[in-house]
Protein backbone atom coordinates (compact mmCIF):
# COMPACT_ATOMS: atom_id res chain seq x y z
CA UNK A 1 0.00 0.00 0.00
CA UNK A 2 0.97 3.65 -0.32
CA UNK A 3 1.31 3.89 3.47
CA UNK A 4 3.84 1.04 3.50
CA UNK A 5 5.96 2.54 0.72
CA UNK A 6 6.13 6.20 1.79
CA UNK A 7 8.56 5.72 4.74
CA UNK A 8 11.11 4.16 2.36
CA UNK A 9 11.24 7.17 -0.01
CA UNK A 10 13.53 10.19 0.26
CA UNK A 11 11.72 12.38 -2.30
CA UNK A 12 15.07 13.19 -3.96
CA UNK A 13 16.22 9.95 -5.55
CA UNK A 14 12.96 8.00 -5.59
CA UNK A 15 9.26 8.74 -5.21
CA UNK A 16 5.81 7.29 -5.85
CA UNK A 17 4.96 7.36 -9.56
CA UNK A 18 1.47 5.86 -9.42
CA UNK A 19 -1.10 4.49 -7.01
CA UNK A 20 -2.95 1.95 -9.15
CA UNK A 21 -4.88 0.17 -6.39
CA UNK A 22 -5.15 -0.20 -2.62
CA UNK A 23 -2.15 -2.54 -2.71
CA UNK A 24 -0.60 -1.68 -6.09
CA UNK A 25 2.01 1.10 -6.07
CA UNK A 26 4.67 2.11 -8.62
CA UNK A 27 7.91 3.77 -7.48
CA UNK A 28 10.23 5.67 -9.83
CA UNK A 29 13.60 7.37 -9.68
CA UNK A 30 17.30 6.52 -9.63
CA UNK A 31 17.70 2.83 -10.47
CA UNK A 32 19.75 2.03 -7.33
CA UNK A 33 17.21 3.74 -5.06
CA UNK A 34 14.30 1.96 -6.74
CA UNK A 35 16.09 -1.37 -6.28
CA UNK A 36 16.54 -0.67 -2.56
CA UNK A 37 12.78 -0.27 -2.18
CA UNK A 38 12.15 -3.39 -4.27
CA UNK A 39 14.63 -5.44 -2.21
CA UNK A 40 12.87 -4.41 1.00
CA UNK A 41 9.58 -5.90 -0.17
CA UNK A 42 11.14 -8.95 -1.83
CA UNK A 43 12.57 -9.82 1.59
CA UNK A 44 8.96 -9.95 2.83
CA UNK A 45 7.97 -12.29 -0.03
CA UNK A 46 5.91 -9.51 -1.58
CA UNK A 47 5.32 -9.38 -5.34
CA UNK A 48 7.69 -6.94 -7.04
CA UNK A 49 7.78 -6.36 -10.80
CA UNK A 50 10.19 -4.17 -12.78
CA UNK A 51 8.52 -2.05 -15.45
CA UNK A 52 10.23 -1.54 -18.81
CA UNK A 53 10.16 2.22 -19.35
CA UNK A 54 12.43 4.75 -21.06
CA UNK A 55 12.47 7.37 -18.26
CA UNK A 56 11.75 7.67 -14.56
CA UNK A 57 8.35 9.25 -15.12
CA UNK A 58 6.52 11.01 -12.23
CA UNK A 59 9.70 11.04 -10.13
CA UNK A 60 12.17 13.68 -8.88
CA UNK A 61 14.26 12.97 -11.99
CA UNK A 62 11.63 14.75 -14.11
CA UNK A 63 12.27 18.13 -12.48
CA UNK A 64 15.03 19.33 -14.89
CA UNK A 65 12.55 19.26 -17.82
CA UNK A 66 9.59 20.91 -16.10
CA UNK A 67 10.48 24.48 -17.12
CA UNK A 68 10.73 23.51 -20.80
CA UNK A 69 7.51 21.53 -20.53
CA UNK A 70 5.74 24.53 -19.01
CA UNK A 71 6.93 26.72 -21.89
CA UNK A 72 5.35 24.32 -24.39
CA UNK A 73 2.13 24.05 -22.33
CA UNK A 74 1.90 27.84 -22.10
CA UNK A 75 2.16 28.11 -25.89
CA UNK A 76 -1.00 26.08 -26.42
CA UNK A 77 -4.56 27.40 -26.52
CA UNK A 78 -6.64 24.80 -24.68
CA UNK A 79 -10.37 24.39 -25.20
CA UNK A 80 -12.70 23.97 -22.27
CA UNK A 81 -13.79 20.37 -21.65
CA UNK A 82 -17.28 19.37 -22.79
CA UNK A 83 -17.64 16.41 -20.42
CA UNK A 84 -16.90 16.07 -16.68
CA UNK A 85 -13.32 15.00 -15.94
CA UNK A 86 -11.84 13.24 -12.92
CA UNK A 87 -8.13 14.04 -12.89
CA UNK A 88 -5.61 11.39 -11.88
CA UNK A 89 -3.44 14.22 -10.54
CA UNK A 90 -5.87 14.78 -7.67
CA UNK A 91 -8.16 11.76 -7.94
CA UNK A 92 -11.13 14.14 -7.84
CA UNK A 93 -13.31 16.03 -10.37
CA UNK A 94 -11.60 19.12 -11.79
CA UNK A 95 -13.07 22.14 -13.53
CA UNK A 96 -12.23 23.92 -16.75
CA UNK A 97 -9.94 26.41 -14.99
CA UNK A 98 -7.61 23.65 -13.79
CA UNK A 99 -7.69 21.60 -16.99
CA UNK A 100 -6.84 24.61 -19.17
CA UNK A 101 -3.91 25.75 -17.01
CA UNK A 102 -0.30 24.79 -17.77
CA UNK A 103 0.35 24.25 -14.05
CA UNK A 104 -2.04 21.30 -13.90
CA UNK A 105 -0.17 19.46 -16.64
CA UNK A 106 3.29 20.35 -15.33
CA UNK A 107 2.35 18.87 -11.97
CA UNK A 108 0.93 15.85 -13.79
CA UNK A 109 4.42 15.11 -15.15
CA UNK A 110 6.04 15.31 -11.72
CA UNK A 111 3.49 14.07 -9.20
CA UNK A 112 2.04 10.53 -8.75
CA UNK A 113 -0.79 9.27 -10.94
CA UNK A 114 -3.65 8.68 -8.51
CA UNK A 115 -5.46 6.14 -10.66
CA UNK A 116 -6.98 4.28 -7.72
CA UNK A 117 -8.40 7.48 -6.21
CA UNK A 118 -9.92 8.40 -9.58
CA UNK A 119 -11.67 5.03 -9.78
CA UNK A 120 -12.97 5.39 -6.24
CA UNK A 121 -14.34 8.82 -7.08
CA UNK A 122 -16.20 7.42 -10.10
CA UNK A 123 -17.61 4.56 -8.01
CA UNK A 124 -18.95 7.05 -5.49
CA UNK A 125 -20.81 8.70 -8.37
CA UNK A 126 -22.34 5.31 -9.32
CA UNK A 127 -20.33 4.99 -12.53
CA UNK A 128 -20.47 1.38 -13.78
CA UNK A 129 -19.20 1.71 -17.39
CA UNK A 130 -15.46 2.07 -17.89
CA UNK A 131 -14.03 2.41 -21.42
CA UNK A 132 -10.27 2.51 -21.93
CA UNK A 133 -9.09 4.76 -24.77
CA UNK A 134 -5.52 3.70 -25.39
CA UNK A 135 -3.22 1.27 -27.21
CA UNK A 136 -3.99 -1.75 -25.00
CA UNK A 137 -6.02 -3.00 -22.04
CA UNK A 138 -3.51 -2.20 -19.27
CA UNK A 139 -5.76 0.23 -17.39
CA UNK A 140 -8.75 -2.10 -17.80
CA UNK A 141 -6.79 -4.85 -16.03
CA UNK A 142 -5.84 -2.44 -13.24
CA UNK A 143 -9.44 -1.30 -12.83
CA UNK A 144 -10.71 -4.88 -12.71
CA UNK A 145 -8.46 -5.63 -9.75
CA UNK A 146 -9.19 -2.33 -7.99
CA UNK A 147 -13.01 -2.20 -8.26
CA UNK A 148 -15.70 -4.62 -7.14
CA UNK A 149 -18.96 -2.75 -7.73
CA UNK A 150 -21.95 -4.77 -8.93
CA UNK A 151 -22.89 -4.62 -12.59
CA UNK A 152 -19.67 -2.98 -13.68
CA UNK A 153 -18.40 -3.20 -17.26
CA UNK A 154 -14.77 -2.53 -18.19
CA UNK A 155 -13.95 -2.44 -21.90
CA UNK A 156 -10.67 -1.67 -23.72
CA UNK A 157 -11.13 -0.21 -27.20
CA UNK A 158 -7.79 -1.46 -28.55
CA UNK A 159 -5.61 -4.51 -27.91
CA UNK A 160 -2.01 -4.69 -29.09
CA UNK A 161 -2.38 -8.23 -30.45
CA UNK A 162 -5.69 -7.75 -32.32
CA UNK A 163 -6.81 -5.78 -35.41
CA UNK A 164 -7.96 -2.27 -34.54
CA UNK A 165 -11.32 -2.43 -36.33
CA UNK A 166 -12.21 -5.75 -34.67
CA UNK A 167 -11.23 -4.43 -31.23
CA UNK A 168 -13.22 -1.20 -31.55
CA UNK A 169 -16.35 -2.94 -32.86
CA UNK A 170 -16.09 -5.60 -30.15
CA UNK A 171 -15.93 -2.87 -27.50
CA UNK A 172 -18.94 -1.11 -29.05
CA UNK A 173 -20.90 -4.39 -29.10
CA UNK A 174 -20.11 -5.11 -25.45
CA UNK A 175 -21.29 -1.65 -24.44
CA UNK A 176 -24.45 -1.81 -26.56
CA UNK A 177 -25.51 -5.24 -25.31
CA UNK A 178 -25.13 -3.98 -21.73
CA UNK A 179 -27.50 -1.06 -22.27
CA UNK A 180 -25.18 1.73 -23.39
CA UNK A 181 -26.63 3.98 -26.10
CA UNK A 182 -24.34 4.35 -29.13
CA UNK A 183 -24.34 6.88 -31.96
CA UNK A 184 -24.19 4.39 -34.82
CA UNK A 185 -23.88 7.06 -37.52
CA UNK A 186 -20.68 8.27 -35.84
CA UNK A 187 -19.38 4.73 -35.40
CA UNK A 188 -19.69 3.97 -39.13
CA UNK A 189 -18.81 7.48 -40.34
CA UNK A 190 -15.92 7.48 -42.79
CA UNK A 191 -16.03 3.73 -43.36
CA UNK A 192 -16.94 1.82 -46.48
CA UNK A 193 -19.84 0.16 -44.67
CA UNK A 194 -23.23 1.08 -46.11
CA UNK A 195 -24.83 1.38 -42.68
CA UNK A 196 -28.48 2.37 -42.52
CA UNK A 197 -31.09 2.04 -39.78
CA UNK A 198 -33.97 -0.35 -40.40
CA UNK A 199 -37.08 -1.15 -38.41
CA UNK A 200 -37.22 -4.87 -37.68
CA UNK A 201 -38.88 -7.08 -38.62
CA UNK A 202 -39.19 -5.87 -42.21
CA UNK A 203 -42.50 -7.71 -42.69
CA UNK A 204 -45.75 -8.01 -40.75
CA UNK A 205 -46.24 -11.16 -38.72
CA UNK A 206 -49.14 -13.27 -40.01
CA UNK A 207 -49.82 -14.41 -36.45
CA UNK A 208 -50.75 -17.97 -37.43
CA UNK A 209 -50.41 -20.70 -34.83
CA UNK A 210 -49.17 -24.20 -35.59
CA UNK A 211 -49.74 -26.67 -32.77
CA UNK A 212 -48.52 -30.27 -33.04
CA UNK A 213 -51.42 -32.55 -33.95
CA UNK A 214 -52.28 -35.34 -31.48
CA UNK A 215 -50.30 -38.49 -32.13
CA UNK A 216 -51.99 -40.96 -34.43
CA UNK A 217 -50.72 -43.77 -32.20
CA UNK A 218 -52.52 -44.24 -28.90
CA UNK A 219 -50.88 -46.15 -26.09
CA UNK A 220 -53.53 -48.42 -24.57
CA UNK A 221 -53.49 -50.13 -21.20
CA UNK A 222 -50.23 -52.12 -21.28
CA UNK A 223 -50.46 -53.64 -17.82
CA UNK A 224 -52.02 -56.80 -19.23
CA UNK A 225 -48.76 -57.61 -21.05
CA UNK A 226 -46.48 -56.67 -18.19
CA UNK A 227 -45.57 -53.22 -19.45
CA UNK A 228 -46.07 -49.72 -18.12
CA UNK A 229 -46.51 -46.35 -19.80
CA UNK A 230 -43.29 -44.46 -20.53
CA UNK A 231 -45.18 -41.18 -20.08
CA UNK A 232 -43.26 -39.60 -22.94
CA UNK A 233 -44.52 -38.36 -26.33
CA UNK A 234 -41.88 -40.38 -28.24
CA UNK A 235 -42.02 -43.57 -26.20
CA UNK A 236 -44.84 -46.05 -25.94
CA UNK A 237 -43.95 -48.44 -23.14
CA UNK A 238 -41.47 -49.21 -20.40
CA UNK A 239 -40.55 -52.43 -18.61
CA UNK A 240 -38.02 -53.19 -15.90
CA UNK A 241 -35.83 -56.10 -16.95
CA UNK A 242 -35.42 -59.07 -14.66
CA UNK A 243 -31.96 -59.93 -13.44
CA UNK A 244 -30.55 -56.47 -12.92
CA UNK A 245 -31.29 -53.47 -10.79
CA UNK A 246 -31.98 -50.29 -12.69
CA UNK A 247 -32.22 -51.98 -16.10
CA UNK A 248 -35.14 -50.55 -18.03
CA UNK A 249 -36.30 -51.18 -21.58
CA UNK A 250 -38.12 -48.33 -23.27
CA UNK A 251 -39.87 -48.83 -26.59
CA UNK A 252 -41.51 -46.54 -29.06
CA UNK A 253 -42.28 -46.14 -32.73
CA UNK A 254 -41.20 -43.17 -34.80
CA UNK A 255 -43.05 -42.50 -38.03
CA UNK A 256 -44.44 -39.66 -40.06
CA UNK A 257 -47.91 -40.89 -39.20
CA UNK A 258 -47.23 -40.69 -35.45
CA UNK A 259 -45.03 -37.60 -35.44
CA UNK A 260 -46.10 -35.41 -38.33
CA UNK A 261 -43.75 -32.65 -37.25
CA UNK A 262 -40.88 -34.79 -38.53
CA UNK A 263 -41.86 -33.78 -42.05
CA UNK A 264 -40.27 -30.41 -41.40
CA UNK A 265 -36.84 -31.90 -40.61
CA UNK A 266 -35.46 -32.83 -44.01
CA UNK A 267 -31.78 -33.22 -44.92
CA UNK A 268 -30.87 -33.72 -48.58
CA UNK A 269 -34.47 -34.64 -49.37
CA UNK A 270 -34.68 -37.27 -46.61
CA UNK A 271 -36.66 -36.99 -43.38
CA UNK A 272 -34.16 -37.31 -40.51
CA UNK A 273 -34.89 -37.66 -36.82
CA UNK A 274 -33.15 -34.65 -35.21
CA UNK A 275 -30.12 -35.03 -32.98
CA UNK A 276 -31.88 -33.14 -30.20
CA UNK A 277 -34.53 -35.90 -30.27
CA UNK A 278 -31.89 -38.55 -29.63
CA UNK A 279 -30.54 -36.53 -26.71
CA UNK A 280 -34.09 -36.25 -25.30
CA UNK A 281 -34.56 -40.03 -25.58
CA UNK A 282 -31.21 -40.63 -23.89
CA UNK A 283 -32.12 -38.26 -21.05
CA UNK A 284 -35.48 -39.96 -20.57
CA UNK A 285 -33.82 -43.38 -20.48
CA UNK A 286 -31.22 -42.11 -18.03
CA UNK A 287 -33.95 -40.71 -15.80
CA UNK A 288 -35.61 -44.12 -15.70
CA UNK A 289 -32.29 -45.73 -14.72
CA UNK A 290 -31.38 -43.13 -12.11
CA UNK A 291 -28.81 -41.26 -14.23
CA UNK A 292 -29.05 -37.48 -14.33
CA UNK A 293 -26.82 -36.48 -17.25
CA UNK A 294 -25.42 -37.58 -20.60
CA UNK A 295 -21.63 -37.92 -20.57
CA UNK A 296 -21.25 -39.40 -24.05
CA UNK A 297 -23.75 -39.96 -26.83
CA UNK A 298 -23.00 -42.00 -29.93
CA UNK A 299 -25.57 -42.20 -32.71
Amino acid sequence: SEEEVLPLLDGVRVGIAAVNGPRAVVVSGVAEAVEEVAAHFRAQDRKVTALRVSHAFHSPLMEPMLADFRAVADSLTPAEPRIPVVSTLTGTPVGAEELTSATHWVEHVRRPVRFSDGLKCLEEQSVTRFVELGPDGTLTALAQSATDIDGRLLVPTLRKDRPETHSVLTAAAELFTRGTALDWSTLFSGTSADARSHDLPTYAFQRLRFWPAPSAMRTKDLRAVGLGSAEHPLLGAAVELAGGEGEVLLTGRLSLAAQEWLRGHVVSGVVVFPGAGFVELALRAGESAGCDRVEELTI
Side-chain angles (χ1 to χ4, degrees):
S1 67
E2 183 177 6
E3 291 72 23
E4 293 177 280
V5 175
L6 280 174
L8 304 176
L9 309 178
D10 58 15
V12 176
R13 298 188 307 149
V14 61
I16 289 182
V19 181
N20 292 329
R23 299 175 66 83
V25 173
V26 179
V27 296
S28 178
V30 176
E32 293 78 6
V34 171
E35 177 55 31
E36 290 174 8
V37 177
H40 173 84
F41 288 102
R42 285 197 197 97
Q44 300 179 17
D45 291 328
R46 309 286 285 277
K47 182 179 179 181
V48 178
T49 302
L51 304 180
R52 294 190 298 175
V53 293
S54 60
H55 295 74
F57 299 111
H58 304 286
S59 80
L61 300 190
M62 301 303 295
E63 292 181 1
M65 57 80 68
L66 294 182
D68 291 340
F69 184 84
R70 179 182 289 276
V72 173
D74 281 331
S75 70
L76 303 176
T77 304
E80 291 192 5
R82 291 178 294 173
I83 61 173
V85 174
V86 172
S87 172
T88 52
L89 174 62
T90 62
T92 60
V94 291
E97 183 177 352
E98 293 173 272
L99 289 175
T100 56
S101 73
T103 299
H104 180 86
W105 300 106
V106 171
E107 291 184 354
H108 221 311
V109 173
R110 171 62 182 85
R111 290 169 56 184
V113 177
R114 308 206 70 83
F115 182 73
S116 179
D117 291 341
L119 282 178
K120 187 181 299 181
C121 176
L122 293 173
E123 290 180 14
E124 291 172 351
Q125 297 183 39
S126 301
V127 174
T128 58
R129 301 290 185 268
F130 298 86
V131 182
E132 179 173 354
L133 303 178
D136 201 5
T138 303
L139 299 182
T140 298
L142 290 176
Q144 286 174 332
S145 61
T147 63
D148 56 0
I149 54 179
D150 295 333
R152 65 178 182 169
L153 176 64
L154 300 102
V155 178
T157 51
L158 295 175
R159 303 302 295 266
K160 63 181 180 181
D161 56 348
R162 301 174 192 175
E164 292 182 3
T165 301
H166 179 271
S167 296
V168 171
L169 291 179
T170 298
E174 286 192 68
L175 291 165
F176 182 70
T177 56
R178 292 285 291 272
T180 303
L182 298 182
D183 184 344
W184 294 104
S185 61
T186 300
L187 182 66
F188 286 101
S189 177
T191 70
S192 59
D194 185 17
R196 298 187 305 273
S197 296
H198 287 283
D199 291 329
L200 295 177
T202 55
Y203 56 89
F205 283 117
Q206 294 177 320
R207 300 191 180 281
L208 300 178
R209 289 178 170 83
F210 297 90
W211 295 102
S215 174
M217 299 188 61
R218 303 291 186 190
T219 301
K220 302 186 185 206
D221 189 355
L222 300 173
R223 289 175 294 178
V225 292
L227 302 176
S229 173
E231 297 181 354
H232 192 278
L234 298 178
L235 297 169
V239 61
E240 293 187 12
L241 300 182
E245 294 185 0
E247 294 187 13
V248 180
L249 176 64
L250 299 170
T251 63
R253 177 177 296 176
L254 300 175
S255 71
L256 295 179
Q259 292 89 18
E260 293 188 5
W261 49 268
L262 282 173
R263 297 181 188 276
H265 194 263
V266 178
V267 179
S268 299
V270 179
V271 175
V272 178
F273 189 67
F278 284 109
V279 174
E280 170 59 27
L281 292 175
L283 288 171
R284 179 64 181 85
E287 182 183 2
S288 299
C291 303
D292 60 357
R293 67 182 182 275
V294 177
E295 291 187 356
E296 183 177 355
L297 181 63
T298 302
I299 299 176

